Amino acid sequence: MRKNYLDGPFGQIHYYEAGMGPSLILAHQSPVCGRMFERAMPLLAAQGLHVIAVDTPGYGQSDVPRQPPSIAGYADAFVAVVQGLGLGTAHFLGHHTGAAILCNMAARNPGLVSSLVLNGPPVLSAEDLAHFSSLPLRALQVRRDGSHLLEAWNTRVRYSPGWTDEVAMHRRLIDQLWAGDTAWYGHKAAFAHDMAPDLAALRCRTLILTNTGDDAYEMSRRAHALRPDFAYVELAGGTHDIVDEQPEAWTQAVVRFIRSV
């Protein structure tokens, strides 16, 4: 994979890229970074795609926004990616928070989008919005004895029922810690955002991709109910780390859809 930077609305945006062919831009879940796609990127590139995994502003090696952005603010950063790379149009895939970001981007900028994959789209009900808005989002409190690291591990494990891949859990926790004191920015944006209007506005070819063990599985089903005209694929098992856990099956679903467009 190659690494590079371009300019965006919050400063420099870092991205990884691999392969040649039609461009596929990837947006990660919170609070990790573009490296969440590292196991799938060589597989996607081998299928003839130019794959671009973006570090959303504030994550990975991208610059940190001065204030917590909205989903629309993050979406504008992805418009900057397309324009900065001179792509014209591209295929897009967003996972969890990334799905909310790219859904908003595609709804407002349809001319940039060849197709869209919403992987675990967080379509929140009114009850969900009320619940998540009440959650305390804060930076990890560092302690001299290092117990905050075990706390972060145990928290991530608790929110990943059915997890089996220790290496994936370790890598994604490192990504979360790398985001530092502002790791909560992405969740704050996602928890305050109603995706339903963006879904209703979409006119591009779209796939809803989910897996039965994902914590956003029911939200994905809700998205499918709102847009039954979209293609729909669900993989069995896994967690929100499905790209790490089932990279071959995940890649196959994505490539099959893009080739059908």
Side-chain angles (χ1 to χ4, degrees):
M1 292 192 296
R2 299 180 298 276
K3 304 176 184 179
N4 214 328
Y5 288 89
L6 51 79
D7 293 328
F10 302 108
Q12 287 191 303
I13 298 173
H14 176 261
Y15 62 93
Y16 303 87
E17 65 179 331
M20 298 179 65
S23 295
L24 171 62
I25 296 177
L26 307 174
H28 58 82
Q29 64 180 319
S30 298
V32 297
C33 68
R35 294 196 307 180
M36 72 162 281
F37 299 106
E38 62 191 335
R39 290 187 180 176
M41 285 185 70
L43 304 178
L44 292 165
Q47 294 296 318
L49 291 170
H50 171 215
V51 193
I52 303 160
V54 177
D55 286 346
T56 300
Y59 297 94
Q61 298 177 67
S62 290
D63 284 345
V64 180
R66 294 184 178 181
Q67 300 294 330
S70 64
I71 287 296
Y74 284 126
D76 290 341
F78 279 84
V79 173
V81 170
V82 178
Q83 294 173 341
L85 294 176
L87 297 179
T89 62
H91 301 279
F92 292 84
L93 181 149
H95 187 282
H96 284 208
T97 302
I101 292 169
L102 293 186
C103 187
N104 180 268
M105 187 277 300
R108 294 190 293 122
N109 302 273
L112 301 181
V113 184
S114 298
S115 73
L116 176 64
V117 180
L118 300 175
N119 189 179
V123 181
L124 305 178
S125 65
E127 292 77 14
D128 291 332
L129 289 166
H131 168 69
F132 286 126
S133 66
S134 69
L135 294 179
L137 298 174
R138 57 179 177 81
L140 185 67
Q141 303 301 303
V142 178
R143 305 186 187 98
R144 282 183 72 90
D145 63 0
S147 59
H148 59 287
L149 300 175
L150 180 59
E151 177 186 328
W153 173 273
N154 288 336
T155 298
R156 196 170 199 281
V157 167
R158 186 167 67 252
Y159 284 103
S160 309
W163 73 284
T164 58
D165 192 327
E166 290 86 356
V167 173
M169 182 67 70
H170 177 67
R171 286 176 174 175
R172 302 295 79 84
L173 181 62
I174 290 173
D175 293 339
Q176 176 180 334
L177 294 173
W178 193 4
D181 291 345
T182 58
W184 53 274
Y185 276 15
H187 280 146
K188 179 178 175 61
F191 292 164
H193 186 71
D194 181 4
M195 280 188 67
D198 294 335
L199 279 171
L202 288 179
R203 294 297 177 263
C204 58
R205 288 285 300 278
T206 302
L207 167 67
I208 297 171
L209 176 59
T210 187
N211 55 287
T212 57
D214 186 12
D215 44 355
Y217 175 65
E218 292 302 328
M219 297 179 190
S220 299
R221 298 284 295 173
R222 188 178 297 149
H224 185 45
L226 290 171
R227 289 301 301 260
D229 54 315
F230 289 169
Y232 178 83
V233 173
E234 65 177 50
L235 305 176
T239 68
H240 46 222
D241 292 327
I242 189 68
V243 184
D244 284 304
E245 297 158 339
Q246 299 182 32
E248 291 84 6
W250 185 88
T251 296
Q252 184 179 39
V254 173
V255 171
R256 185 184 299 120
F257 170 71
I258 290 175
R259 285 179 175 168
S260 74
V261 174

